[in-house]
Amino acid sequence: MPIKNEFPAGTLVMLVLRVLQGGSLHGYAIAQRIRVISSDVLRVEEGSLYPALQKMLIKGWVASSWGESETGRKVRFYKLTAAGKKQLKEELQRHELVSKAIDSVLRTA
Amino acid sequence: MEILRRIWFLLNRRRRERELAEEMEAHLEMMSPEDRAAFGNALALRENAQEAWGWRWLDDAWRDLQYGVRILRRSPGFTLATVATLALGIGVCLSAFQVLNTLVLRPLPVQNAERIYRLDRRAPGMAINAFAYPAMVFFRENSTAFEVFFAQLHTELQFEDDAMRHLQARFVSANYFAQLGASAAAGRLFGPREDEIRNSPTVVVLGHSFWQSRYGSDPEIVGKTIRVHQRPVVVAGVLAEEFSGLQPSATDVWIPLAHYSRLMGKTDPPGFETNVQMFGRLVKGSNIETALESLKPLTAELSARHPKEMWEGERVEASPAGYASRLTRQDVPMVAFFGSLVLLVLAVAGSNFGSLLLARTMAREREFGIRSSLGAGRARVFRQILTESLLLCIAGAGVGLVLSLVGGRLLLWSVEMPQSMETVIDWRTGGVAATLALVLAVIFGSTPATHAALRRKRTEKVRMAMVGAQVAATCTLLIAAGLHARSLQRVFSEGPGFDYRNVVAVDPPGGFQSIETAKRAEELKRKAVGIPGVEVAAICSVTPLGLSAWSEDAGEPGRRINAYVNAVEPEYFSAMRIPILQGRKFSPGERDAVMISESLARKRWPGESTIGKRYKAGSNAVVVGVAGNARTQALRDSEAVEVYYPYREQGARLRAGGVVIRTALPPARMIPVLRAALERPTAAPLRYMPLESAFEEVTEGSRKGMIGVSIAGALALLLAATGIGGLVAFTVMRRTSEIGVRVALGAPRASVAALVLGKILRPVCFGLAGGLAGGAGLAGLMRSQLYGLGRFDAGAYGGALVVLLAASALAATIPVRRALALDPSVTLKHE
């Protein structure tokens, strides 16, 4: 069953950065990709996606350029920057740390 | 880096917004139909996304501003009242700042003001801000550190045949006008020609105000001959209005310095008896220390050539001359005092403003209720009110700036600055105005803003506090004004210690400054005594109430007492009617004797007899007599201390300054008689100064200063009275129905009035208490100006209390009477 907006706080940015690691995508494609790979569990809402993207632009983690979509429509593509790669690495490390910690508590407590 | 990106986004805002809209539209199109429905409000989503840019606060501020302007326009009465109050308070502040700005902060309107220095002579125990004429010439010819030297000499000269009135004359070097960038309003100014004396008559330049008042700005005066100091001179031109020269003071006529001797009726160039003020302009890029160093060998050579005229260990010091005035450490108490006065007026105006704003805010209850129900947070409402407060303060500051041009000019006039010193609005005044607006808006706007945001209904306490503050500030101001007035009253009712009526001081312009001309003083005195109508005549080295003063340290080792010194003949005390309190006057032939004033006797030897005591360590002089205090050199300083040396016996060291003549008839009758008897046709003309006129001139200045303080007090009183009246009106309004009920039930009007007025009694009393304390504190600052008055003068404090209570009572009774006069049935309906 698709769970609406089950994003743990702060993970959206990390997921978008990870997705973009595979190459430039436009907004809709990013949302689609996350949805597909997570087997429809994680659905990105537009209301969350675009604020997140704008924030990442301001912070310099992604860069944007205009191009054409598969259907020939003018869309904005997002690309991971060097700073973005660094940020992704940091967030992955932190995520791993936190997940392990949660697992330990759940297993042994 | 991130902040740069934010700014970039802000600058390209429109484009970014468009791109985002397009992007989301594309996203929408690509979605499947059932998902589309869940997309949400596009506009809201866009706005959310844009928040990430971080400029939301800017949008909000702009909206607040627009809203504020609309609201203020809708209640013009309120807006006008607040802006007027603020303009008054800020205007007073800015006027005072204008004085500081014009005198101290702004450079004089001369070229290269920052490179110009005034040169002074200093030696251990001696100081004078002038150089002898030959010394000035020597420096000018031999110094390379300064690219230009200026010299000037102030004096008073007779104009045409008017015996009573003198012209303010300034002798200046020929390069003065050209190098300082002066321009002519008519005719021409001095050129290099004026540095030499030829057979052609002396040319002069008229001062602008003098030209206006005496000649009605008639350009035909150029080229005409007038008589100055009984010599014919030709008017070459008129100086432009805005030029003040160095060390501004009102000048009626400007004369080339090279012609000084000629005007005085001598053929030789001026010698060491003539002192001039000397200024130098540094060579670009050099500094004053190296320049002064380079003058040392020149000073040494001068001392070698003229050992008698120069002092031991003499050196040259410099102070910047590019500004009208300088603040020294001694000025700090006075500046602090006036600063406090001004701030007090500002505080009163500000609390008035706060009260008005608070009342208005309370009346807008409904508006805030609607806004908060629509989702406005408390912070938003707070910001809104603060924005309105800021708008009002900015408007008030703007009007205040304009007022300060006039106010500043008035203040400058009251300290006798010449017309040419203008007040302008420059970046400094603008900066101060903006800062004041900001500070007032925050301090006095935050309370109403907090009240509005927190939807508080009970504002009475705050308003009371504000009234209390106003009363306190006004009380302090009134006390200050009262103290000032009383001390002046004391000074001039006590008398300066000598009798200035029927006394004339006679001297040639510049004094008898060399030994040879001291003989002339003797001759004058001899002749004067023989004139019928003359009672006493005496020579002294410092003319009373004159332009010069001479002081030395009259204290003990480790304790400095500044004393005004004069070398006088024994008849001086009779001429000036200064009483001898102890001992006697000088005897003929007595060399090592001094006489001191009673104030010095009290300070050095309190409770003992001073006769026979040694005057100072290292001197053989012994005190032979104690005279009453006579403030001949510093009229306004009641702490002044005098020391007298015997003129005849110390003649080698001490020069003659003038002859003091006491006459049986008033000066107006006696001066023509004196002139006829004392002046030979070929001698240099003399100056006759009735001491009474000089005395009046000095007191005039103090009177003007008093006016300023009184005006401040009156303004504050007006503002405070308005504040009190407003508070009472407010209270009455809120309790109108209660008043109606009481009156209908038969309560005597007096008791109802007492009920209402009783409420404001507390803040007023607290305010008075605070004001009294503040007044005492301020009196401490004023100490140097409270001549002869204790800090706690009953008259001043009592007077302030009475005036304030009367004004408060008057302001308060008006609204109460109106309320009581209303028909109870009307008041009962007022819900």
Side-chain angles (χ1 to χ4, degrees):
Chain A
M1 183 173 66
I3 308 165
K4 257 203 138 188
N5 224 11
E6 275 301 322
F7 277 99
T11 54
L12 177 57
V13 170
M14 184 174 64
L15 291 173
V16 171
L17 285 174
R18 177 68 183 86
V19 164
L20 287 179
Q21 206 179 29
S24 305
L25 292 172
H26 56 78
Y28 183 71
I30 297 174
Q32 277 300 94
R33 199 158 170 90
I34 293 180
R35 188 168 156 183
V36 162
I37 297 183
S38 69
S39 311
D40 223 15
V41 171
L42 300 172
R43 286 186 170 204
V44 188
E45 288 226 332
E46 304 71 31
S48 332
L49 177 65
Y50 284 96
L53 286 172
Q54 291 296 317
K55 177 175 158 186
M56 294 194 286
L57 273 175
I58 289 264
K59 293 270 186 193
W61 297 333
V62 298
S64 71
S65 58
W66 286 89
E68 275 192 10
S69 72
E70 308 81 23
T71 52
R73 207 190 185 294
K74 186 167 165 220
V75 285
R76 177 137 74 173
F77 282 86
Y78 293 88
K79 188 172 97 161
L80 200 60
T81 61
K85 287 195 186 119
K86 196 164 124 200
Q87 180 69 14
L88 175 60
K89 196 161 130 196
E90 276 171 30
E91 296 217 12
L92 284 175
Q93 280 173 347
R94 200 179 35 208
H95 175 84
E96 202 177 311
L97 202 63
V98 172
S99 303
K100 276 215 185 109
I102 295 179
D103 279 344
S104 322
V105 173
L106 290 177
R107 244 185 299 117
T108 42
Chain B
M1 271 315 284
E2 182 183 325
I3 187 72
L4 288 177
R5 265 190 284 268
R6 286 193 195 265
I7 295 177
W8 178 248
F9 270 48
L10 179 67
L11 295 176
N12 291 319
R13 205 177 168 153
R14 294 253 178 276
R15 186 165 66 111
R16 291 268 153 195
E17 283 174 6
R18 237 185 322 119
E19 287 179 352
L20 189 60
E22 267 189 51
E23 186 177 358
M24 291 178 80
E25 220 183 277
H27 186 121
L28 196 60
E29 281 177 20
M30 288 190 261
M31 288 172 89
S32 53
E34 64 273 6
D35 293 328
R36 250 183 235 173
F39 190 72
N41 182 344
L43 181 61
L45 290 177
R46 278 217 304 278
E47 280 189 8
N48 267 342
Q50 285 173 13
E51 254 188 68
W53 296 343
W55 290 116
R56 169 101 176 255
W57 63 271
L58 205 63
D59 290 332
D60 287 346
W62 180 238
R63 252 189 294 266
D64 282 343
L65 221 65
Q66 289 176 313
Y67 187 66
V69 171
R70 261 207 327 268
I71 287 280
L72 289 175
R73 271 180 35 190
R74 256 199 262 141
S75 37
F78 164 75
T79 312
L80 252 117
T82 29
V83 170
T85 308
L86 286 167
L88 213 57
I90 297 183
V92 165
C93 238
L94 286 177
S95 299
F97 181 74
Q98 282 281 16
V99 173
L100 187 73
N101 199 22
T102 313
L103 292 183
V104 177
L105 297 176
R106 257 179 42 215
L108 287 172
V110 298
Q111 276 178 4
N112 304 318
E114 68 284 353
R115 279 195 278 146
I116 301 182
Y117 286 83
R118 187 194 68 202
L119 299 171
D120 310 324
R121 288 172 66 190
R122 293 266 185 279
M126 313 277 269
I128 191 170
N129 299 343
F131 285 79
Y133 189 90
M136 185 270 294
V137 172
F138 182 75
F139 280 116
R140 191 172 63 188
E141 285 168 0
N142 293 307
S143 165
T144 47
F146 293 93
E147 59 182 21
V148 173
F149 276 95
F150 309 103
Q152 65 184 20
L153 170 72
H154 292 260
T155 186
E156 288 178 359
L157 297 177
Q158 190 190 357
F159 178 55
E160 301 285 344
D161 288 317
D162 190 345
M164 290 297 280
R165 214 202 126 190
H166 289 119
L167 284 183
Q168 298 296 326
R170 217 198 286 203
F171 289 87
V172 295
S173 44
N175 60 1
Y176 198 83
F177 293 127
Q179 289 292 335
L180 289 176
S183 53
R188 68 167 182 91
L189 301 176
F190 297 154
R193 260 190 309 181
E194 268 68 54
D195 230 352
E196 304 160 22
I197 308 191
R198 298 155 190 244
N199 282 329
S200 47
T202 306
V203 296
V204 301
V205 168
L206 298 181
H208 198 267
S209 319
F210 179 66
W211 179 52
Q212 269 180 334
S213 58
R214 188 71 171 72
Y215 296 104
S217 308
D218 177 17
E220 294 294 309
I221 189 65
V222 176
K224 295 270 193 326
T225 304
I226 62 176
R227 285 166 65 81
V228 170
H229 206 64
Q230 297 182 355
R231 304 244 182 292
V233 295
V234 177
V235 175
V238 179
L239 196 52
E241 188 166 15
E242 63 274 2
F243 185 74
S244 59
L246 299 169
Q247 307 223 188
S249 63
T251 305
D252 299 323
V253 64
W254 303 72
I255 312 174
L257 188 58
H259 290 235
Y260 181 75
S261 294
R262 193 203 234 183
L263 218 66
M264 296 297 125
K266 303 184 227 181
T267 41
D268 298 324
F272 277 88
E273 76 282 357
T274 307
N275 281 324
V276 299
Q277 282 177 334
M278 190 161 83
F279 302 84
R281 191 171 73 205
L282 277 182
V283 172
K284 208 168 186 177
S286 88
N287 68 5
I288 189 65
E289 286 82 18
T290 31
L292 288 178
E293 275 296 314
S294 77
L295 290 180
K296 278 193 184 159
L298 293 178
T299 314
E301 196 178 324
L302 262 181
S303 297
R305 288 196 202 173
H306 306 272
K308 286 220 256 179
E309 275 80 3
M310 304 281 283
W311 297 327
E312 239 181 79
E314 183 172 325
R315 60 183 192 280
V316 177
E317 282 187 3
S319 50
Y323 300 86
S325 200
R326 268 178 60 203
L327 281 185
T328 56
R329 278 241 303 268
Q330 298 165 317
D331 294 321
V332 171
M334 190 191 68
V335 170
F337 170 67
F338 281 110
S340 319
L341 283 187
V342 158
L343 283 177
L344 281 172
V345 175
L346 195 68
V348 175
S351 26
N352 237 347
F353 162 64
S355 289
L356 281 168
L357 194 62
L358 188 61
R360 189 90 186 87
T361 309
M362 292 302 96
R364 287 160 68 185
E365 255 301 298
R366 256 188 69 199
E367 176 192 331
F368 298 130
I370 295 178
R371 289 191 76 178
S372 69
S373 69
L374 282 179
R378 296 196 296 218
R380 196 69 209 279
V381 175
F382 181 86
R383 261 203 339 247
Q384 175 67 46
I385 305 296
L386 211 58
T387 311
E388 285 169 26
S389 157
L390 192 64
L391 278 172
L392 286 166
C393 286
I394 290 178
V399 178
L401 263 181
V402 174
L403 285 178
S404 77
L405 285 177
V406 176
R409 200 70 205 66
L410 261 165
L411 282 175
L412 283 174
W413 167 83
S414 78
V415 294
E416 289 162 348
M417 278 289 135
Q419 288 278 61
S420 56
M421 307 230 68
E422 299 180 319
T423 48
V424 299
I425 298 184
D426 57 2
W427 61 270
R428 279 181 221 95
T429 12
V432 170
T435 316
L436 283 176
L438 200 64
V439 166
L440 281 179
V442 169
I443 293 182
F444 293 102
S446 31
T447 310
T450 322
H451 271 65
L454 297 179
R455 316 271 310 279
R456 284 198 200 141
K457 309 246 195 227
R458 322 228 356 214
T459 58
E460 213 142 286
K461 278 206 184 140
V462 175
R463 295 204 75 183
M464 299 251 191
M466 283 193 178
V467 166
Q470 280 180 328
V471 169
T474 311
C475 189
T476 311
L477 265 171
L478 287 177
I479 290 178
L483 282 172
H484 212 100
R486 291 268 301 166
S487 83
L488 273 178
Q489 197 185 50
R490 272 284 209 88
V491 166
F492 296 119
S493 68
E494 251 178 24
F498 57 92
D499 186 359
Y500 50 76
R501 284 177 298 248
N502 290 350
V503 183
V504 178
V506 180
D507 54 8
F512 306 93
Q513 293 269 347
S514 76
I515 300 183
E516 167 204 300
T517 48
K519 292 200 196 126
R520 178 113 200 276
E522 308 269 348
E523 200 186 309
L524 274 181
K525 184 208 163 171
R526 234 181 339 105
K527 279 196 183 165
V529 170
I531 300 173
V534 168
E535 294 178 357
V536 193
I539 305 178
C540 58
S541 48
V542 179
T543 318
L545 300 182
L547 294 168
S548 52
W550 179 16
S551 58
E552 71 180 26
D553 180 13
E556 296 141 333
R559 181 180 167 210
R560 220 198 122 83
I561 302 178
N562 193 40
Y564 292 98
V565 185
N566 207 345
V568 302
E569 296 187 302
E571 297 92 340
Y572 177 81
F573 298 97
S574 326
M576 299 287 285
R577 297 228 175 123
I578 301 174
I580 309 292
L581 300 174
Q582 284 181 48
R584 55 174 177 78
K585 304 187 220 180
F586 303 124
S587 306
E590 203 174 10
R591 220 193 111 82
D592 290 322
V594 295
M595 291 174 67
I596 61 177
S597 67
E598 189 251 334
S599 44
L600 184 58
R602 244 187 313 118
K603 283 190 184 177
R604 290 278 305 269
W605 301 282
E608 303 167 32
S609 159
T610 40
I611 309 302
K613 294 270 194 314
R614 177 186 293 222
Y615 169 51
K616 273 205 294 200
S619 139
N620 289 331
V622 157
V623 178
V624 299
V626 177
N629 295 333
R631 303 192 297 269
T632 54
Q633 295 185 37
L635 195 61
R636 283 181 265 202
D637 184 359
S638 78
E639 294 286 301
V641 153
E642 291 95 39
V643 172
Y644 305 95
Y645 287 100
Y647 168 71
R648 274 183 202 293
E649 289 66 24
Q650 299 256 5
R653 185 161 70 97
L654 309 164
R655 309 274 185 253
V659 178
V660 174
I661 304 179
R662 171 164 290 281
T663 58
L665 298 173
R669 301 263 297 275
M670 283 305 294
I671 287 186
V673 175
L674 290 173
R675 184 192 299 284
L678 294 176
E679 286 181 26
R680 289 194 317 257
T682 51
L686 297 168
R687 190 173 68 116
Y688 302 86
M689 180 183 70
L691 287 191
E692 192 164 6
S693 321
F695 184 78
E696 272 170 16
E697 265 181 48
V698 173
T699 60
E700 184 61 32
S702 298
R703 261 192 280 265
K704 284 186 188 168
M706 243 289 294
I707 293 179
V709 181
S710 308
I711 291 183
L715 276 177
L717 193 63
L718 188 68
L719 286 170
T722 326
I724 293 177
L727 177 65
V728 175
F730 184 70
T731 313
V732 161
M733 187 191 75
R734 298 195 105 217
R735 303 171 74 167
T736 310
S737 45
E738 179 191 339
I739 295 177
V741 170
R742 285 180 186 262
V743 171
L745 287 178
R749 310 215 142 180
S751 77
V752 180
L755 182 74
V756 174
L757 290 176
K759 278 232 118 173
I760 61 159
L761 206 59
R762 262 185 55 193
V764 169
C765 283
F766 274 115
L768 285 178
L772 286 174
L778 207 58
L781 274 177
M782 271 175 87
R783 194 90 71 80
S784 60
Q785 301 188 32
L786 290 180
Y787 311 131
L789 207 61
R791 273 172 69 175
F792 299 105
D793 177 60
Y797 285 77
L801 277 177
V802 166
V803 169
L804 200 51
L805 278 173
S808 314
L810 190 68
T813 41
I814 296 179
V816 171
R817 279 171 67 111
R818 278 181 57 200
L820 288 177
L822 286 177
D823 187 355
S825 53
V826 171
T827 55
L828 280 172
K829 274 192 269 174
H830 187 290
E831 224 0 74

